[in-house]
Amino acid sequence: MALIQEIRQDIHATMERDPAARNVLEVVLFYPGFHARLAHRAAHAMHRAGIPVVPRGLMHLARFFTGIEIHPGATIGSRFFIDHGMGVVIGETAEIGDDVMLYQGVTLGGTSTRRIKRHPTLRDRVTVGAGAKVIGGIEIGENARIGAGSVVVTNVPANATVVGVPGHIVAFHDDSNGAIQRLPDPEWERMNDLDQKIRELHEMVAHLDEHMGVIHANHHD
């Protein structure tokens, strides 16, 4: 009964987070993230029981049909949702909390070749944007958001929003009142400064061009 309840929760999470999901039948039949999670439940149970080869074979088959690669050893919490899913990779020692959401192309990867905790830990309610790479045995705190295309190689505190390559914190979300506190972004400020300088240079060149035109006209007169 607990397994059936968990599957129902996965379906509910999909319906809640994806406005394109029209009904339960669509989710059950056509959502690769749901299918990959079903396969992983069985493979993870066999992996924990010490059954060789079969868990990897099952997830290899699931990858073929869904485009999602999850190692049987990965630990995944309740109401996990993968949106679209193509290209998602979740490594062996990854740990994923409850209500986590991954978009397509996300990698929860490792950097070490030793048999240690080498993949990330995502706490509850983390959202990872499309194409983001979260690498190494790092921890992403509760309610954190990782922007699309970001590369994260260091710990991220709870409620933080991270963007960029390498990823850096640009905002914090306050759970008590829903407010978002944006932090100074030195890279964005430098871009704005450069943009301002370019505008100033453009105006200077236009001004010089105007004066040269006047001088040239006076010369012919």
Side-chain angles (χ1 to χ4, degrees):
M1 291 300 293
L3 177 60
I4 293 174
Q5 181 62 26
E6 286 184 6
I7 293 171
R8 285 177 176 170
Q9 288 178 349
D10 286 349
I11 295 171
H12 177 72
T14 302
M15 297 286 293
E16 187 178 66
R17 298 176 192 171
D18 187 0
R22 296 289 186 262
N23 53 64
V24 170
L25 191 60
E26 275 191 8
V27 175
V28 171
L29 293 179
F30 305 124
Y31 273 66
F34 176 73
H35 300 153
R37 182 68 179 107
L38 282 179
H40 177 264
R41 277 196 175 91
H44 184 66
M46 289 187 285
H47 178 81
R48 287 175 60 87
I51 298 173
V53 182
V54 178
R56 291 298 299 269
L58 177 58
M59 293 315 300
H60 185 79
L61 191 64
R63 182 182 65 175
F64 177 80
F65 284 104
T66 66
I68 298 168
E69 181 173 341
I70 309 176
H71 193 282
T75 303
I76 299 176
S78 302
R79 297 174 296 280
F80 179 53
F81 176 53
I82 302 176
D83 193 18
H84 295 292
M86 184 62 69
V88 167
V89 177
I90 300 174
E92 177 187 14
T93 61
E95 298 177 40
I96 298 174
D98 297 336
D99 299 298
V100 169
M101 180 174 178
L102 307 182
Y103 287 86
Q104 67 271 18
V106 167
T107 298
L108 305 183
T111 55
S112 176
T113 57
R114 293 181 294 164
R115 295 183 185 277
I116 58 174
K117 175 73 168 81
R118 60 191 186 278
H119 298 96
T121 295
L122 276 56
R123 298 301 180 190
D124 297 347
R125 297 176 298 281
V126 169
T127 300
V128 185
K133 313 300 177 188
V134 186
I135 307 296
I138 61 175
E139 181 172 314
I140 311 300
E142 294 181 353
N143 303 305
R145 296 172 174 86
I146 309 299
S150 300
V151 177
V152 182
V153 294
T154 58
N155 293 338
V156 175
N159 303 307
T161 298
V162 173
V163 300
V165 181
H168 58 282
I169 299 171
V170 296
F172 277 97
H173 182 269
D174 188 344
D175 278 344
S176 63
N177 56 18
I180 296 177
Q181 177 185 356
R182 301 198 178 278
L183 303 180
D185 188 341
E187 292 183 5
W188 184 254
E189 290 173 1
R190 284 197 293 270
M191 291 290 288
N192 283 335
D193 289 342
L194 286 171
D195 188 55
Q196 178 62 30
K197 291 294 183 183
I198 290 170
R199 283 199 298 269
E200 291 174 1
L201 288 171
H202 185 270
E203 291 173 1
M204 185 182 297
V205 169
H207 185 68
L208 288 172
D209 188 59
E210 181 181 343
H211 275 280
M212 290 296 293
V214 171
I215 293 172
H216 183 71
N218 289 339
H219 175 73
H220 280 288
D221 289 344

